[in-house]
Structures are given as structure tokens and as C-alpha cells.
Amino acid sequence: AAAYVSRLDAMGEAAGRHIERHVEQTGDYSLISRIKRFNQYLFTDERFVGNRDRYEDPRNSCLNEVLDRRTGIPITLSLVYMEVGRRTGLRVDGVNFPGHFLVRVPEQGDGVAGRLIIDPFHAGALLSERDCRRLLQKHVGTEVAFSKSLLAPATRAQIVVRMLLNLKRLYVHMRSFPQARDATELLLAVTPSALSELRDRGLLAYHLNDLTSALRDLQTYLKLASMGEMDKEPPAEHLQIWEHVKPLRRPVATLN
């Protein structure tokens, strides 16, 4: 980990020198000019690029692999952008935009910075509100209505959760259930009250033939979910989980 921090430090120092040289040569101190020069350093000089050919590769979700391979998905390239940018003196926040992670420069004195929405997956493209609306339509259709709240700065916890959800989804798709369960364990460490993760950990334990853990998690999930439902009829999902629990009880009893 220390080696990758050192690499980010070195990249930040190099990017800072490029920006300073650009400002001295052009006399342009504007924020947008500095960001464009920063983009040139990161995406032209350092050759970071969005991995369109192998988007589903789990390595795209691991920051160390992204730094080694110079390619990743929106959220990991955004993290590189944020961390290198911070080291140059630029404050860059993540944006937990549905379907496609972005970054933004927060509001400053003239208010212009608040309108700079940046897409590191597409070489630091600057996005207008219309661009963001199109991006939302492309990735989620009409499921989510556009609002400016979608462009709010993301918390660190939101960023970590989104990265872990990406990894879990990929590992489940690949049927790499041990790795998927590891990701789910981390998700529960960050968000202990996430019932869906408790359910998924139980289902993954079931697939891994860890019957005791599966029964524990799925029974706890059903209990907590039913408390949330109060007097409502149990949803179909709860009934499906119950169908997993019933056959587990006898074999688990024989193990105790």
C-alpha cells in the first residue's frame, strides 16, 4: 500500500509542476485552465484510459491494479483523479451519479467551480447539465428522474460501498462465491444495518455449503425484515428466502 501512496504522491508533484508551468507560460490562472492542463497530464502524459473493452474485469475495481495498468472503470479512475488532484492543490469531490461515477470541483468564490462536472472515464470531459441528463438516460433510463441533488459530493462511505457493490456483483456473475462473500463481509462492516447484504451473505454461504452461517444469516434477515414489514403481508422475496431456510434447519441441527 505504501508503494502506491508514494506513486500517487509522485504523480501529484509532477501534475503540480505541469500546472505551474502552464500558468507561468500563459498567465491564465483560471480554474478551468488548470483543470484542462491537469487532464492533459493524467490522460495524455500518463495515458490513463477507461477500460471499454474489458469493463467487467474485476481488476478495474481495484485501485492498485488501475494504477499499474492505467485503465479502469468510472469510479476507480475518479479516485485516481481525486487523489492526484488533491496532491496538486485541487479539491475534487466524487459524485455518486447513478450508473456512472463522476467528479466535481466544489463551489469557490465566484461560483463557477460548482458547475464543473468531470468524467474521468472519458479523459476528463467537462459535462454540462444537459450532458448529465443524457448520461442518466443512457444508464438508468426513466427509473431515476434527474435532479441537481444527483450531483452532490459523495461521502467516503458512499464511495467505498459503491466499489464493493461493483466487486460483489462481478464476483457473483463469475460465480466466484468466496470472493463475493468477502466483499459482502466488507459491505456489512461499512453498513451494518444493510439487510440486503445480510441476506446476500446468507445466500452466498448457502452456495458455499456453509450451512450454519447460511441459516444464521437468513433467519436473522427474515426476522429483521418482518419487523420492518409490521402487519403487511410478507413480500415474495421473503417467501423465497424462507424456502431456503426450511431445508437448512434439519442438517444444521445434526451438526450441533
Side-chain angles (χ1 to χ4, degrees):
Y4 290 104
V5 172
S6 296
R7 187 181 302 182
L8 289 169
D9 289 342
M11 290 171 62
E13 290 177 8
R17 289 194 298 270
H18 280 70
I19 293 171
E20 289 175 9
R21 191 178 307 120
H22 172 73
V23 168
E24 291 172 359
Q25 291 173 349
T26 64
D28 188 348
Y29 291 83
S30 69
L31 180 61
I32 194 166
S33 176
R34 285 183 283 137
I35 286 177
K36 286 181 176 179
R37 186 62 191 90
F38 177 68
N39 286 348
Q40 185 177 341
Y41 168 78
L42 203 61
F43 301 111
T44 301
D45 300 352
E46 291 297 310
R47 303 190 305 279
F48 279 89
V49 64
N51 194 342
R52 297 174 180 83
D53 295 332
R54 300 196 64 186
Y55 193 91
E56 299 296 319
D57 189 328
R59 292 177 295 178
N60 293 329
S61 294
C62 300
L63 190 57
N64 59 323
E65 294 281 359
V66 172
L67 288 172
D68 287 340
R69 299 166 65 236
R70 297 288 201 275
T71 187
I73 55 176
I75 191 167
T76 44
L77 289 176
S78 292
L79 276 174
V80 172
Y81 198 101
M82 292 162 63
E83 289 301 316
V84 179
R86 179 172 64 83
R87 287 163 169 80
T88 71
L90 291 170
R91 180 184 165 188
V92 187
D93 292 324
V95 175
N96 204 20
F97 198 73
H100 192 96
F101 203 88
L102 302 168
V103 300
R104 62 174 285 173
V105 178
E107 298 254 359
Q108 293 186 0
D110 57 6
V112 173
R115 296 196 294 271
L116 291 181
I117 305 298
I118 302 164
D119 183 359
F121 188 75
H122 292 100
L126 299 176
L127 305 184
S128 65
E129 183 176 311
R130 178 178 292 182
D131 295 328
C132 292
R133 288 178 181 273
R134 289 173 178 164
L135 194 62
L136 185 68
Q137 178 72 25
K138 175 183 176 182
H139 287 283
V140 300
T142 58
E143 293 179 21
V144 179
F146 179 83
S147 72
K148 291 186 179 180
S149 65
L150 297 178
L151 301 175
T155 65
R156 290 187 177 184
Q158 287 173 330
I159 295 171
V160 170
V161 166
R162 184 153 174 173
M163 291 183 68
L164 290 171
L165 285 171
N166 282 340
L167 274 173
K168 185 183 79 168
R169 177 182 59 82
L170 289 171
Y171 284 133
V172 168
H173 179 73
M174 297 166 60
R175 302 188 68 80
S176 298
F177 296 133
Q179 292 88 346
R181 184 159 70 164
D182 289 343
T184 307
E185 292 278 10
L186 291 171
L187 280 163
L188 280 166
V190 178
T191 55
S193 61
L195 283 185
S196 60
E197 301 308 328
L198 180 64
R199 174 203 64 205
D200 288 354
R201 187 174 68 179
L203 292 173
L204 288 164
Y206 179 84
H207 283 295
L208 291 168
N209 206 35
D210 183 354
L211 303 185
T212 302
S213 297
L215 182 61
R216 179 199 65 219
D217 282 348
L218 295 178
Q219 285 190 143
T220 303
Y221 165 77
L222 287 173
K223 179 181 178 181
L224 295 174
S226 64
M227 291 170 60
E229 291 294 318
M230 300 297 287
D231 295 328
K232 299 178 183 177
E233 288 295 320
E237 179 186 289
H238 296 180
L239 295 175
Q240 291 173 359
I241 298 298
W242 177 243
E243 291 303 314
H244 280 79
V245 167
K246 285 191 292 185
L248 283 173
R249 285 183 163 180
R250 180 170 295 177
V252 168
T254 65
L255 297 174
N256 295 327

